[in-house]
Amino acid sequence: MRILGHLFKNNSIWATKIKESDPDFFIKLSKQQNPEYLWIGCSDSRVPANEIVDVMPGEIFVHRNIANLVIHTDMNCLSVIQYAVEILKVKHIIVCGHYGCGGIQAAMDNHEHGLIDNWIRTIKDMYHSCRERIDALENDKEKVDLLCELNVIEQVANVCHTTIVQNAWKSGQELAVHGWIYSIKNGILKDLNICTTSLDEISQIHRIK
């Protein structure tokens, strides 16, 4: 019960498989971290970044939280973005939500959920501002899925509004911010066709001179 031996066994099998295909993999990996991508995703256990896009350890720098939020007072998320952009020099930031997100569903009801209510307040505010469009849909699944998509779009904007990303653009650093969404039901990613690559592509009020 305390040791969780099966997980250590799984780890040993996994590491052995990797070394069989590339004996020097872990030696090379231990000497550098050079990912091209920062993934900002949901903490949902069914949405693991590396597995979804089928890449090896070392290729994606990952930050996950409930409902893949980028909140401007969240020092954890901002520190991850800063490290990824300024130190690792990633070329792509991917905000990836998923359909049927529990955080989104919780924000759409009027029940108390405890501490998390403070975290998802920004989603509730978004729902309030878009409620006419969302409630025009016929069923609850469609409503939740639309808000999941709108949330990704909002978080992409929040990433772009940070001084970290804007300073990178001003310095000429190559950096694109993408919005994707994932379906747990079929394992397929969908590009929401939101990709921001420069200051000129964000609203004037949010640009920092």
Side-chain angles (χ1 to χ4, degrees), residues 69-205:
L69 299 182
V70 178
I71 298 174
H72 294 293
T73 53
D74 179 8
M75 293 299 106
N76 185 355
C77 184
L78 293 179
S79 296
V80 169
I81 294 173
Q82 181 180 20
Y83 188 81
V85 172
E86 296 181 6
I87 307 301
L88 298 177
K89 303 293 184 183
V90 298
K91 294 181 179 179
H92 302 273
I93 299 176
I94 300 161
V95 179
C96 185
H98 67 96
Y99 291 119
C101 179
I104 299 293
Q105 294 181 58
M108 295 178 74
D109 65 39
N110 296 112
H111 301 123
E112 181 180 344
H113 304 92
L115 182 64
I116 195 174
D117 288 326
N118 299 280
W119 179 253
I120 62 174
R121 173 62 187 270
T122 58
I123 307 172
K124 193 174 286 287
D125 291 341
M126 192 191 325
Y127 178 41
H128 175 72
S129 64
C130 301
R131 188 154 194 168
E132 186 174 339
R133 176 184 173 187
I134 294 170
D135 287 353
L137 297 174
E138 293 188 1
N139 62 64
D140 291 341
K141 180 185 179 301
E142 290 178 340
K143 293 176 183 178
V144 172
D145 286 351
L146 176 57
L147 189 54
C148 288
E149 292 181 351
L150 295 175
N151 181 55
V152 169
I153 294 168
E154 181 74 8
Q155 305 319 312
V156 167
N158 286 345
V159 171
C160 296
H161 297 163
T162 63
T163 56
I164 303 159
V165 169
Q166 293 194 36
N167 285 336
W169 283 332
K170 285 190 286 185
S171 70
Q173 186 172 335
E174 181 183 349
L175 182 63
V177 186
H178 309 262
W180 297 355
I181 195 159
Y182 176 73
S183 173
I184 294 172
K185 290 185 176 181
N186 62 20
I188 299 299
L189 282 167
K190 176 183 177 181
D191 189 344
L192 293 176
N193 296 316
I194 301 296
C195 180
T196 308
T197 61
S198 71
L199 281 171
D200 295 337
E201 298 174 34
I202 65 176
S203 61
Q204 186 71 40
I205 190 66

